[in-house]
Each structure stands twice: as C-alpha cells, then as structure tokens.
Amino acid sequence: MAVSRRPAATWSLVALTALAPVSWGTTYAVTTEFLPPGRPLFTALARALPAGLLLLALARVLPKGAWWWKAAVLGALNIGAFFPLLFLSAYRLPGGMAAVVGSVGPLFVVGLSAPLLGQRPTGRALLTGVVAAFGVSLVVLRAAGALDGVGVAAALASTASMSTGTVLAKRWGRPAGAGPLALTGWQLTAGGLLIAPLALLAEGPPPALDARALGGYAYLALANTALAYWLWFRGIGRLSATRVTFLGPLSPLTAAVVGWAALGQALTPVQLAGMALAFGATVAGQLGTARPAAAPPLSFNSAERNARKDSMDLTGSVLRR
C-alpha cells in the first residue's frame, strides 16, 4: 500500500538507503588494506555470522515450516557462496574492477526469471543486459595483463549465486510475521554456519589479528553488513522498488572511486568508458518491463504472485551487495 510522504522525508529516506550500497563499495578496499591476506573464507565468516546472530537477537523471530529450508537455500546462495567468492575476487582483483564484473548480474537474472518466475523479458532488457556485459568486457579485456583469471571467475560466480538467490527470494516472497530484519538475519546466520566448517577445513584456525585487522572485521560485520543490510531492506519496504534499484550502481562506483583515490589504482580511458557503459546499461535496464510468459508455470500462492508482478525490478537489484 502506497504511503504519502513529504518530499523532504522521502529524500531523507533515499539518502539513508543509499548508505548501504556506498558501504558495500568499500568492501574491496577494506579487505585488501586492513585484513590478513589469503583468508577469504574466514573473512566471509567474520562478516556474516556475527551480523546474522546480532539481527536474530534483535528480531526475535525464527523460521517456521518450509521456511527453515527456504532460509537455508537463500542463505547458501546469498551469503554462504556469495561472500567467499566475493572476498576471493577482492583478494585477487583491483577493487573497482572486481565490482564492475558484478554488472553482468542482470544477464543472469534475465535468464532465470523466465523459468522461475514465468516472466519473459522485453527486448530492451535483453539489449541493455548485453550492453552491460560488453562494457564489463572492455574493462576486463583491457586489463588482461593485470587481472587474475581465478579472481574474474570468482567474481562472475558470486554474481551468479546472488542472482539466483534474488530470483528465488522474489518467487518465495516473505513469510507472514517476519520483517526484513528477521529474513536478513536468517540468511546471514545460515550462510555463516555453512561457511564455518569450510573455513576451518580449508584455512585452518583463525589467524592472529592485530588492532588494524580487528577494526576491519568489526567494520565489515557491523556497518558493512548488519547496519547496511537493515537500511537497504528498510528502504525497499518504504520506497518504490524501481527507485531503490537506482541506488545499486553506487556500490561499484564507490569501489572504483576508492580504488583510484585511496589505493592509487589507475584506470585507462577505455576502462572508464566500459564502466560508464556497463553502469548506464544497468540503469536503463531497470526502466524496462517484463512480459508475462504465454503459459505460467504451475500455480503460485499470493506471495509468489506478488513476486511475479515485481520481477521487472530484479534486473537492478542484483547490484545491491
């Protein structure tokens, strides 16, 4: 139900919501400059599990029925796989470049929306997705000598995982009695518990941490994850979905600016053009609409019918992390 708001109040809400993608854009710089090297799984665990437990304690709501396994699946896709792959790419790629690779997310979402949501994208959405991918290729191919293949693959895989989780979240909706705080807490906790044994087996005991590393991990868990995710989902609940998705490009833009201003990472004119092309195409794709498929798959409950209506906004939402 739409709620009338004063313009000043609306812009204040937009500004607060924008803090989330801005915060996420600093993840790469914090990882490479403050945290111990070569520990992507431990870093993902330290970001996810403390934030998830904190949000669970604040929300005081646990999943019920089928939402136990649904929360586990979403937690695995959005957190358990996404975070380790994200940090692996952050360790192996320059920050702005790693973020730009995430711009291919709309192509994954376009491909998944038809089978999972019964939505056939418009030609405009497909075109803008291809243009976004082309812009990303300009950045990656131009920097082939400086980029790492494993890092690029990890960035692409993290985007695919997050895109799948986004589409499934739209299909399943949100259970009655659980707000964004609870749903986010479920996913962070489930993802953190999935990462924990993998981190122990692959990387061994936690590393020794100095004050600099402790500060970096505290920032990632509290400001970059718990607070940022709460602000983001609060904004989604109070602003139009289209308006919120326009804030998504602030994340890779922040990463690129921080990499250039604070870390001395040079960007060539071709790379800058590719970034602008990818960002512009992603924003343009958020303005398109999706056509319903001729024959909708199976029957949907009310939450899933709402998800089908809202799927036109999926293209931009994959950039939120």
Side-chain angles (χ1 to χ4, degrees), residues 159-243:
T159 302
S161 178
M162 184 66 195
S163 300
T164 305
T166 299
V167 175
L168 285 177
K170 285 290 187 181
R171 177 183 176 115
W172 290 337
R174 196 167 68 218
L181 196 70
L183 191 58
T184 304
W186 299 348
Q187 295 181 60
L188 287 169
T189 302
L193 293 175
L194 178 64
I195 296 168
L198 298 177
L200 183 61
L201 290 173
E203 298 178 354
L209 303 177
D210 56 16
R212 184 180 181 88
L214 287 172
Y217 283 123
Y219 169 78
L220 289 180
L222 298 177
N224 186 265
T225 302
L227 178 60
Y229 275 73
W230 175 75
L231 286 172
W232 183 256
F233 286 112
R234 176 176 175 266
I236 287 176
R238 300 186 182 189
L239 295 169
S240 71
T242 300
R243 194 166 195 173

Side-chain angles (χ1 to χ4, degrees), residues 292-311:
L298 304 179
S299 61
F300 289 85
N301 60 29
S302 58
E304 290 163 345
R305 284 195 297 269
N306 290 336
R308 289 180 63 195
K309 280 200 312 179
D310 292 340
S311 66

Side-chain angles (χ1 to χ4, degrees), residues 20 29 50 58-59 62 77 85 119 125-126 143 195-196 199 232 302:
L58 293 175
L62 292 176
L77 291 170
L85 292 167
Q119 291 286 340
L126 289 171
I195 296 168
W232 183 256
S302 58

Side-chain angles (χ1 to χ4, degrees), residues 118-142:
Q119 291 286 340
R120 189 169 59 237
T122 64
R124 177 177 179 175
L126 289 171
L127 177 61
T128 53
V130 171
V131 171
F134 176 71
V136 169
S137 72
L138 289 180
V139 177
V140 175
L141 294 177
R142 183 66 176 181

Side-chain angles (χ1 to χ4, degrees), residues 1-14 16-17 234-240 243:
M1 181 173 59
V3 179
S4 176
R5 292 180 177 275
R6 299 191 310 273
T10 299
W11 284 112
S12 296
L13 180 58
V14 169
L16 285 174
T17 307
R234 176 176 175 266
I236 287 176
R238 300 186 182 189
L239 295 169
S240 71
R243 194 166 195 173

